[in-house]
Amino acid sequence: MAFEDGKKLKIFTGNANPALAKEICDYLGLPLGEAFVGRFNNGEVQIMIDESVRGKDVFIIQPTSYPVNDNLMELMVIADALKRASARHITAVVPYYGYARQDRKTRGREPITAKLVANLMQTAGITRLVTIDLHAGQIQGFFDVPVDHLFGASILAKYINEKN
């Protein structure tokens, strides 16, 4: 399946799962966006977007799985770089949403970190989130941008049925 409007659409990835991003690009018939995602000597995330994204719809494929903080920070710095490079829309495809289990207070003086992560993502420039199997559906309400919450159970059930 070749994606006909590849000139307006770009897909980037961090280091969390570049194989997934490559597989998505291959399926769509699009090249993976050109960017350097690395670290400075002191461990800080370093991002360089190596192509124009001005006016384009951009997708970042970046789960926030282990190491959660590193992958989350990469996602936010990539989003900020794309925003500053004048991307039209920035959609984060986050198959695993780190900190999702911290979606409410169970004791006094506890943070609601899932909400903090939502705020950070939006501040970084993300204008839409696509995620799978959130710990709690209410996390969608933590965002002021659209959230597409997909469910994996039907795909897994189909696969298991095919294998008998």
Side-chain angles (χ1 to χ4, degrees):
M1 166 181 162
F3 197 82
E4 295 177 14
D5 206 11
K7 289 185 167 72
K8 292 183 180 177
L9 179 94
K10 295 287 181 183
I11 299 174
F12 290 88
T13 188
N15 292 311
N17 197 335
L20 174 62
K22 177 78 171 98
E23 191 173 333
I24 291 168
C25 286
D26 290 347
Y27 181 80
L28 294 174
L30 294 172
L32 189 58
E34 295 176 31
F36 172 79
V37 181
R39 298 282 186 272
F40 286 105
N41 289 338
N42 65 358
E44 292 175 0
V45 174
Q46 180 184 20
I47 304 295
M48 290 183 286
I49 305 299
D50 294 328
E51 63 181 287
S52 176
V53 294
R54 181 176 300 280
K56 299 197 180 346
D57 293 329
V58 179
F59 289 75
I60 307 167
I61 312 299
Q62 180 78 346
T64 55
S65 52
Y66 180 84
V68 176
N69 295 334
D70 291 345
N71 291 331
L72 181 59
M73 196 65 190
E74 273 187 11
L75 171 63
M76 291 186 299
V77 177
I78 293 167
D80 184 69
L82 293 167
K83 175 177 72 172
R84 293 173 189 279
S86 300
R88 185 170 146 231
H89 293 289
I90 302 169
T91 300
V93 179
V94 181
Y96 177 81
Y97 186 96
Y99 291 102
R101 290 180 289 178
Q102 297 181 45
D103 61 332
R104 59 192 161 81
K105 291 178 71 152
T106 58
R107 296 182 297 257
R109 298 175 301 282
E110 258 189 346
I112 303 176
T113 314
K115 171 63 173 153
L116 173 63
V117 169
N119 290 344
L120 292 169
M121 287 182 180
Q122 292 171 122
T123 299
I126 291 168
T127 59
R128 177 178 218 104
L129 175 72
V130 178
T131 191
I132 301 170
D133 291 329
L134 284 171
H135 176 70
Q138 74 229 25
I139 294 171
Q140 295 174 81
F142 294 168
F143 285 85
D144 294 324
V145 298
V147 175
D148 295 310
H149 179 205
L150 309 176
F151 299 94
S154 62
I155 295 168
L156 289 172
K158 180 181 174 188
Y159 177 80
I160 290 169
N161 280 339
E162 288 173 358
K163 301 294 179 194
N164 289 322

